[in-house]
Amino acid sequence: MELLELKDLTIHYFTDEGVVRAVNGLTLSVGAGETVGLVGETGAGKTTTLKAVAGIMPFDEGEIIINGKSMKSHALECKQIMAYIPDNPDLYEYLTGIQYLNFVADVYQVSKTQREERISKYADLFELTSDLAQPISAYSHGMKQKLAIISAFIHQPQLILMDEPFVGLDPKASHLLKQIMRDHCDRGGAIFFSTHVLEVAEKLCDRIAIIKQGKLIVSGKTQDVIGDESLEDVFLELEDDDNVNDAH
């Protein structure tokens, strides 16, 4: 079952030089139980794509289908079953950590028992429990990233979107996040994330999608994409090649 389908997704934005096509006819899918990595250079359109899927950036053409429903006509229902973790979490810094987590739980109508259980579980795992009473303004970038991750899992979303999720995390927290991502997919959820860390994508992803200047240049099962090479080798070759290839 496909939890996410992008069909000819196209997004433009305006600059002083004119109209730029940030995402160009992007078509791909993320199935239940899958971790799919979106790989590309800075400016390739990764963040723009994720923001559109999350419903916080409009798109000009195409379709975003989440669990069989269109983001255009069923935005609220789509957002209820997903979570988005940006690369630089913009949290309510005047709140304490626990106040923020309870706010998110309220938005998604998570029961008192469930929220307490999940907050306790993930805060302990990320060693953030003792900091939850502190204002977010006192948090380091890594602590904010951990809080954003915890908040994403509070309502047990089916689809989780992550933009460069390992930036700012220490090695222990990165390892823990990889385990949590795998567990989420093993339970039938799905993860769609962007990364420029190719080794992470190669080890973690069931499927890889490489984009260049907003256009999909290769996608498929990770092993089919890399063959006997490393993802780094494939990526560098494709960056120098304008030909479109599909590993499906």
Side-chain angles (χ1 to χ4, degrees):
M1 184 182 80
E2 306 296 355
L3 280 180
L4 170 64
E5 295 173 87
L6 305 184
K7 299 179 179 179
D8 295 317
L9 182 67
T10 300
I11 303 171
H12 300 92
Y13 63 87
F14 299 91
T15 68
D16 293 337
E17 286 76 36
V19 179
V20 174
R21 186 172 288 186
V23 179
N24 186 358
L26 184 59
T27 296
L28 58 83
S29 63
V30 181
E34 280 191 327
T35 297
V36 177
L38 188 62
V39 177
E41 288 189 331
T42 301
K46 302 187 301 294
T47 296
T48 302
T49 299
L50 288 170
K51 284 184 175 180
V53 175
I56 58 178
M57 176 173 281
F59 56 98
D60 302 301
E61 298 170 29
E63 273 283 5
I64 297 174
I65 308 293
I66 296 173
N67 202 27
K69 295 185 178 179
S70 168
M71 176 61 82
K72 287 180 179 176
S73 55
H74 296 87
L76 185 58
E77 291 166 78
C78 290
K79 290 178 183 180
Q80 284 173 337
I81 65 163
M82 66 177 170
Y84 170 58
I85 304 173
D87 62 337
N88 189 21
D90 188 13
L91 310 175
Y92 297 123
E93 301 213 342
Y94 57 87
L95 296 178
T96 64
I98 192 64
Q99 286 174 334
Y100 178 75
L101 293 176
N102 276 310
F103 165 72
V104 174
D106 286 342
V107 168
Y108 288 99
Q109 300 178 330
V110 180
S111 71
K112 184 175 185 293
T113 302
Q114 288 178 324
R115 74 176 65 183
E116 288 177 352
E117 178 186 313
R118 292 168 192 167
I119 289 171
S120 175
K121 173 187 174 182
Y122 290 112
D124 283 350
L125 283 172
F126 282 107
E127 300 178 346
L128 205 63
T129 303
S130 62
D131 299 297
L132 290 181
Q134 300 299 318
I136 296 172
S137 58
Y139 282 22
S140 67
H141 176 80
M143 291 166 69
K144 289 177 183 176
Q145 191 76 0
K146 290 177 182 178
L147 191 70
I149 292 166
I150 295 167
S151 72
F153 283 89
I154 277 186
H155 66 289
Q156 292 192 331
Q158 290 174 266
L159 173 66
I160 298 179
L161 312 170
M162 300 178 171
D163 193 3
E164 300 285 0
F166 302 102
V167 173
L169 291 181
D170 57 73
K172 185 176 180 180
S174 294
H175 179 70
L176 180 61
L177 178 56
K178 291 171 191 173
Q179 289 182 313
I180 291 171
M181 290 166 71
R182 191 69 264 165
D183 290 345
H184 176 74
C185 291
D186 288 344
R187 293 195 305 268
I191 291 174
F192 183 41
F193 79 104
S194 74
T195 183
H196 66 276
V197 185
L198 301 179
E199 296 89 346
V200 168
E202 184 173 337
K203 291 178 181 177
L204 202 58
C205 296
D206 301 297
R207 289 196 293 121
I208 297 283
I210 301 176
I211 61 172
K212 181 179 180 180
Q213 297 175 343
K215 195 174 182 69
L216 184 69
I217 55 173
V218 66
S219 73
K221 292 181 179 178
T222 303
Q223 194 54 54
D224 292 341
V225 170
I226 64 175
D228 295 327
E229 301 181 89
S230 69
L231 181 57
E232 183 177 30
D233 291 335
V234 173
F235 179 75
L236 292 174
E237 287 168 14
L238 290 168
E239 281 297 313
D240 293 332
D241 185 359
D242 291 330
N243 293 325
V244 175
N245 181 28
D246 193 335
H248 277 306

